[in-house]
Amino acid sequence: MTCHLARGLLILTAFSVSGCAAFSPDSGMSAVSELTSRTIDKDVAFVRTADGAGAVEARVRQLLARTLSAESAVQIALLNNKGLQAAYNELALAETDLVEQSLPPNPVFSISRITGNGASEIERQVVGDILALATLPFRSDIARERFRQAQLRAALATLRLAADVRRAYWRAVADNEMVVLLTDAKATAESTAQLAVKLGETGSLNKLDQAREQVFYAETTADLATARQTAASARERLARLMGLWDGGLDFRLPNALPPLPRRPLTLPSIEADAVAHRIDLQIARLELVALAKAMNLTEATRFVTLLDLAGISRRTQDPEGPPFRERGFDVQFQIPIFDGGEVRVRQATETYNLAFNRLTERAVNVRSEARDAYRTYRSTYDIASHYQREIIPLRKIITEEMQLRFSSMQVDIFALLTEARQRLAALRGAIDARQRFFLAQADLQTAVNGGGAPAAGSDNPTTIAAAAPADGGGH
């Protein structure tokens, strides 16, 4: 009997093992790489060996040898950021959970020996968890859904880092441009202040006008110091996101933002694109599917939570007679007297309903975020374009005309200085408007593909799926 039971357990285990998952060569990174390449056209790498680390270091040095663009900064971060590597480690850990959940439980073998008064008894047992073997295909299927979620979470972390790098890059470059502008403005204000002092010494300029010119120089100096500090902090943030150590901190950034594109993007179906492409919504869909399967499994096993089968072989040696052998089996199961599984079923049902409601809420939010991001994108483009086409050219014309009139003594120096202040304010406004546009452009890409901050109050963002709230547990 014991041999037959042991053989039966081994045969059942063998059939179960045939459907087990195995570790993939890249820990599931192929799906992450495919999603990242399709969405932002960038390479990712899970660095696990010294050779891999050397290849990444060489690629980073190559990218840092040139003046950084937004795309090269993103690529460096995706290869070099250790926080992202930690997210890939979490994906590798998720794969271990998948493999573990797809393996049947190991049978337990026990042996005991009891002696006394010259008699001895040896008992052997092989115990198998029949319930775990019977539910193995269902648990393995749920684990695969969870692993797919882990792959999407790793892709989402990749997109989130790319979005953060783009924002940090545009802020750093805009701050650089502001420093250049204020450096020139300080030089002009310093010359003006010195001229005001000389005019005051000759009596051609009163103290009030002298003070006005000197305070303009003082304010410009303070603004420049603030701009330099802001630029340094923005550069440090970008360096952190790119994961740069001491050797890479001397990277070069442009001194000015690029010009605006000739025409803005036209996205008439942005809401549908966001719902279809957002990775956080794909994660939510998989979560709902996994919860539905888990709820069905809970329903199927609500009355039986323990079912162990043991094959027993006992050999008894009696000094007053010949030895004899006994064989049999032992079945253990739980009697559902006090808990008929209602608690577990109710928990599974409410967990599913919670996920469904969060899913629907997130879908509504995603559509709104996409609309708002596109409106902001168009608005900032129009404002920056207005500065570029109208305000800055007109200010240039006014400055040139004022200089001509000053040269011909038609206007005095005070009118020229007033125009210089106004032109400086317009140039600063233009830089700020272009920065806002490029930030809005990055936010627009995030709104369509994902990669923004997680939704408040929700660990698992959700979206609409082909499911409905559970009613009473009948699924």
Side-chain angles (χ1 to χ4, degrees):
M1 176 68 71
T2 305
C3 294
H4 290 316
L5 286 173
R7 281 197 295 268
L9 286 173
L10 290 174
I11 292 172
L12 185 56
T13 301
F15 279 116
S16 301
V17 170
S18 63
C20 292
F23 288 106
S24 59
D26 60 355
S27 300
M29 280 296 297
S30 57
V32 178
S33 178
E34 180 183 353
L35 282 169
T36 305
S37 177
R38 184 172 67 243
T39 304
I40 58 176
D41 193 24
K42 292 291 178 292
D43 298 326
V44 296
F46 186 15
V47 181
R48 308 177 72 178
T49 64
D51 291 341
V56 166
E57 184 179 356
R59 179 79 183 280
V60 170
R61 282 200 305 267
Q62 180 185 13
L63 293 171
L64 290 174
R66 301 186 295 269
T67 300
L68 279 184
S69 64
E71 300 306 313
S72 60
V74 169
Q75 184 61 82
I76 290 172
L78 297 187
L79 295 175
N80 204 46
N81 184 282
K82 298 307 178 186
L84 184 61
Q85 292 297 310
Y88 296 158
N89 289 130
E90 291 179 354
L91 174 60
L93 288 173
E95 188 180 38
T96 64
D97 293 336
L98 167 63
V99 174
E100 181 182 26
Q101 290 298 320
S102 66
L103 293 174
N106 292 323
V108 178
F109 176 77
S110 67
I111 182 170
S112 62
R113 183 174 184 271
I114 302 174
T115 61
N117 296 328
S120 65
E121 182 179 277
I122 299 176
E123 181 177 289
R124 303 176 183 85
Q125 289 190 30
V126 178
V127 184
D129 189 341
I130 303 302
L131 183 62
L133 286 173
T135 59
L136 180 62
F138 305 99
R139 291 186 290 108
S140 179
D141 193 23
I142 294 171
R144 285 187 174 85
E145 298 291 345
R146 299 295 188 193
F147 179 62
R148 178 60 178 162
Q149 281 183 274
Q151 289 179 309
L152 292 178
R153 282 196 297 270
L156 185 62
T158 305
L159 295 183
R160 185 166 294 157
L161 177 62
D164 289 343
V165 171
R166 282 196 174 89
R167 296 186 190 101
Y169 177 85
W170 294 124
R171 289 190 176 101
V173 174
D175 291 339
N176 271 3
E177 187 171 0
M178 191 67 73
V179 168
V180 172
L181 174 64
L182 290 175
T183 300
D184 294 339
K186 179 188 174 184
T188 302
E190 184 177 12
S191 300
T192 303
Q194 292 174 354
L195 177 60
V197 171
K198 293 179 181 179
L199 291 176
E201 293 173 351
T202 62
S204 301
L205 196 64
N206 58 44
K207 289 185 178 180
L208 176 59
D209 292 331
Q210 289 182 60
R212 285 173 177 168
E213 303 313 317
Q214 289 170 354
V215 77
F216 175 58
Y217 170 62
E219 290 173 347
T220 306
T221 301
D223 288 345
L224 177 58
T226 302
R228 283 174 174 165
Q229 177 56 49
T230 302
S233 297
R235 183 184 179 91
E236 285 295 340
R237 172 166 174 74
L238 180 59
R240 289 196 300 270
L241 291 172
M242 292 192 296
L244 297 180
W245 201 252
D246 292 342
L249 296 180
D250 57 346
F251 59 89
R252 298 191 303 274
L253 289 173
N255 287 327
L257 291 166
L260 297 175
R262 291 186 177 181
R263 57 181 61 87
L265 297 174
T266 302
L267 301 174
S269 59
I270 185 171
E271 295 178 50
D273 291 341
V275 171
H277 298 136
R278 283 281 288 259
I279 292 182
D280 51 351
L281 298 186
Q282 296 179 43
I283 293 173
R285 294 186 184 104
L286 290 175
E287 174 68 13
L288 203 66
V289 171
L291 286 175
K293 292 179 179 179
M295 186 165 58
N296 290 335
L297 180 59
T298 302
E299 282 276 6
T301 61
R302 63 180 299 178
F303 296 112
V304 180
T305 58
L306 173 66
L307 180 58
D308 290 344
L309 176 63
I312 302 173
S313 174
R314 183 182 296 123
R315 184 178 184 275
T316 303
Q317 177 71 47
D318 192 334
E320 297 181 358
F324 60 92
R325 187 181 299 275
E326 299 172 297
R327 295 182 179 89
F329 64 91
D330 177 35
V331 178
Q332 294 185 14
F333 60 91
Q334 191 178 66
I335 302 175
I337 297 177
F338 304 107
D339 182 7
E342 181 64 27
V343 174
R344 293 188 299 115
V345 170
R346 183 65 62 88
Q347 287 175 338
T349 302
E350 293 306 322
T351 301
Y352 178 87
N353 289 339
L354 183 149
F356 178 86
N357 288 325
R358 283 186 172 172
L359 174 150
T360 308
E361 177 198 26
R362 189 62 187 143
V364 172
N365 293 344
V366 162
R367 293 172 66 89
S368 175
E369 289 168 8
R371 293 192 302 267
D372 186 54
Y374 184 68
R375 279 195 296 264
T376 302
Y377 167 81
R378 285 304 308 264
S379 176
T380 54
Y381 178 86
D382 293 339
I383 294 171
S385 179
H386 183 68
Y387 268 98
Q388 184 172 291
R389 293 195 319 266
E390 302 291 339
I391 297 177
I392 298 304
L394 288 174
R395 278 295 170 193
K396 182 179 179 182
I397 292 172
I398 292 173
T399 299
E400 292 173 349
E401 291 296 323
M402 291 294 290
Q403 289 175 346
L404 289 174
R405 283 163 174 72
F406 177 74
S407 299
S408 61
M409 306 298 290
Q410 297 181 32
V411 297
D412 56 18
I413 189 174
F414 304 112
L416 189 64
L417 295 176
T418 300
E419 170 54 29
R421 292 191 186 94
Q422 294 173 347
R423 185 168 185 268
L424 176 61
L427 291 173
R428 294 178 72 169
I431 294 173
D432 183 67
R434 273 186 294 144
Q435 176 187 240
R436 290 176 182 275
F437 166 74
F438 286 111
L439 291 175
Q441 188 178 55
D443 291 340
L444 178 63
Q445 187 175 20
T446 297
V448 175
N449 298 317
S458 175
D459 294 332
N460 295 316
T462 48
T463 186
I464 293 176
D471 51 352
H475 290 267

